């Protein structure tokens, strides 16, 4: 008889059974630490050593922050940050590897089967779950008969000390000066020359051609012995020259530019990235971080992106020798906007007038 005459013979061979037999659990292979006391002690020492590495890492991070002298030189900043980072790395990886090695070699190692049940367990099952947690603590060796004081001590010490590797430098960087009004002022003062970044050579008005852009720092910045990078981060300026006919100048800023030359803060008012991409044809400045776009021909107003206010303008003039100088500091805080930022710092010009003769 052909298969076509008996089509059910093939189907009967592949009929799905109504139930399956329980295959059971595979053979459990014990770990060396389960059967060899020497291997157990060795594993315990290894875990304790990893926790000790974490403790050492915390000490390295805090010690590097406190003991190493960070200057304004790039090599010094790189070395100190590298040492702090190395300490944090050791503090975190020591705890991580120690916990993993503890779980793999010393905690209980046997299969458990949990039958499916209703969403809420019975009171007996809930009590059993609590008992299982207690048994887990017992099996881990934290307490009970198999108490491991070395692991408990080093583990708790590593957990308590490791956060300090991150928190200590962060809290320490806040410094002792809590006068937040200092953030509203920069190094610029009346009569201070605008110089090229980074060499610090003064800029003459005749050097700035239409369509050109100069990255600018205050005169004397490179000679600072302390806080050079902090001052530069606040005071950097972009100097540009446009056709005077393209400029839209408000009445209160008529004397803030010179023959089409304008100067604006280089720090984006969104989150503080450097605004340094200049599109000559449209007179637009672009922030590369989040694409905030500012129109230099119209007071550096925002034309696109998440920034909420224009770039602060630095009032400039030209001295008797033809060099471009600042008339004052910025008239508003530079950098990102925040909820307590003043729209106008009325003391900015007055403070500069009184201090201008000293620069």
């Amino acid at each position: 008889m052909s298969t076509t005459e008996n089509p059910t013979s093939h189907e009967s061979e592949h009929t799905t059974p109504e139930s399956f037999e329980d295959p059971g659990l595979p053979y459990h292979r014990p770990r060396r630490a389960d059967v060899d006391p020497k291997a157990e002690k060795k594993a315990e020492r290894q875990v304790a050593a990893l926790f000790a590495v974490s403790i050492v890492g915390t000490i390295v991070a805090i010690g590097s922050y406190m003991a190493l002298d960070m200057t304004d030189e790039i090599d010094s900043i790189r070395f100190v940050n590298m040492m702090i980072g190395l300490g944090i790395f050791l503090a975190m990886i020591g705890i991580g590897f120690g916990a993993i090695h503890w779980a793999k070699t010393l905690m209980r190692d046997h299969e458990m089967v949990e039958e499916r049940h209703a969403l809420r367990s019975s009171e007996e099952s809930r009590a059993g779950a609590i008992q299982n947690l207690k048994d887990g603590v017992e099996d881990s060796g934290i307490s009970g008969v198999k108490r491991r004081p070395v692991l408990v001590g080093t583990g708790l010490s590593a957990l308590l000390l490791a956060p300090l590797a991150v928190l200590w430098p962060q809290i320490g960087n806040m410094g002792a000066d809590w006068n937040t009004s200092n953030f509203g002022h920069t190094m610029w003062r009346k009569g201070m020359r605008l110089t090229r970044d980074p060499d610090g050579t003064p800029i003459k008005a005749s050097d700035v051609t239409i369509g050109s852009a100069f990255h600018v720092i205050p005169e004397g910045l490179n000679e600072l012995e302390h806080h050079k990078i902090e001052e530069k981060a606040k005071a950097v300026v972009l100097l540009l020259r446009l056709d005077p006919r393209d400029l839209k100048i408000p009445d209160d800023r008529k004397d803030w530019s010179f023959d089409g030359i304008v100067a604006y803060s280089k720090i984006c008012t969104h989150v503080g990235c450097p605004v340094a991409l200049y599109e000559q044809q449209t007179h637009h400045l672009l922030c590369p971080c989040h694409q905030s776009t500012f129109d230099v021909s119209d007071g550096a107003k925002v034309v696109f992106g998440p920034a909420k206010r224009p770039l602060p303008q630095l009032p400039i003039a030209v001295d008797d020798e033809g060099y471009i100088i600042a008339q004052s500091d910025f008239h508003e805080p530079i950098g990102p906007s925040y909820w307590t930022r003043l729209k106008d710092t009325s003391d900015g010009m007055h403070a500069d007038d009184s201090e201008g003769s000293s620069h």
Side-chain angles (χ1 to χ4, degrees), residues 118-140:
L119 184 61
R120 188 184 191 283
S121 303
S122 64
E123 295 300 327
E124 292 79 9
S125 298
R126 293 161 69 87
I130 295 175
Q131 185 61 43
N132 287 338
L133 292 176
K134 294 179 180 179
D135 293 341
V137 173
E138 181 73 21
D139 291 339
S140 68

Side-chain angles (χ1 to χ4, degrees), residues 139-313:
D139 291 339
S140 68
I142 296 177
S143 62
V145 178
K146 296 181 67 178
R147 190 175 185 86
R148 296 187 173 97
V150 175
L151 294 188
V152 174
T154 55
L156 290 178
S157 299
L159 285 172
L160 292 174
L161 292 176
L164 296 179
V166 179
L167 295 177
W168 195 291
Q170 298 301 321
I171 295 175
N173 279 334
M174 292 181 180
D177 186 2
W178 293 88
N179 184 10
T180 56
S181 64
N182 290 336
F183 296 114
H185 300 281
T186 71
M187 186 177 168
W188 291 107
R189 295 294 182 268
K190 183 178 180 180
M192 182 176 287
R193 288 178 174 176
L194 279 67
T195 63
R196 292 176 175 84
D197 182 15
D199 56 21
T201 56
I203 304 172
K204 285 190 173 183
S206 57
D207 298 333
V208 187
T209 58
I210 293 179
S212 62
F214 286 74
H215 299 270
V216 172
I217 56 176
E219 182 182 26
L221 175 69
N222 290 336
E223 284 70 45
L224 291 180
E225 295 183 0
H226 304 287
H227 307 295
K228 175 181 175 181
I229 292 180
E230 289 88 343
E231 291 298 335
K232 181 176 182 179
K234 295 189 298 180
V236 285
V237 163
L238 206 61
L239 184 73
L240 311 103
R241 189 168 198 165
L242 288 71
D243 187 327
R245 295 172 296 182
D246 294 334
L247 285 175
K248 301 175 184 179
I249 304 177
D251 292 337
D252 59 344
R253 297 189 180 187
K254 290 291 185 181
D255 60 344
W256 284 23
S257 58
F258 176 80
D259 196 21
I261 302 176
V262 290
Y264 289 98
S265 171
K266 193 177 172 181
I267 309 303
C268 182
T269 54
H270 177 219
V271 292
C273 297
V275 180
L277 302 177
Y278 179 52
E279 210 292 311
Q280 180 181 352
Q281 301 299 322
T282 60
H283 309 307
H284 286 174
L285 278 174
L286 176 67
C287 176
C289 293
H290 305 98
Q291 286 70 56
S292 292
T293 308
F294 306 88
D295 188 355
V296 179
S297 65
D298 191 13
K301 293 180 180 179
V302 182
V303 295
F304 180 80
K308 298 301 182 183
R309 64 186 179 98
L311 296 172
Q313 184 174 357

Side-chain angles (χ1 to χ4, degrees), residues 81-102:
N81 286 336
M82 181 187 69
M83 293 303 297
I84 295 175
L86 177 62
I88 295 175
F89 168 76
L90 293 176
M92 297 302 146
I93 203 171
I95 288 181
F97 281 179
I100 292 172
H101 196 50
W102 188 342

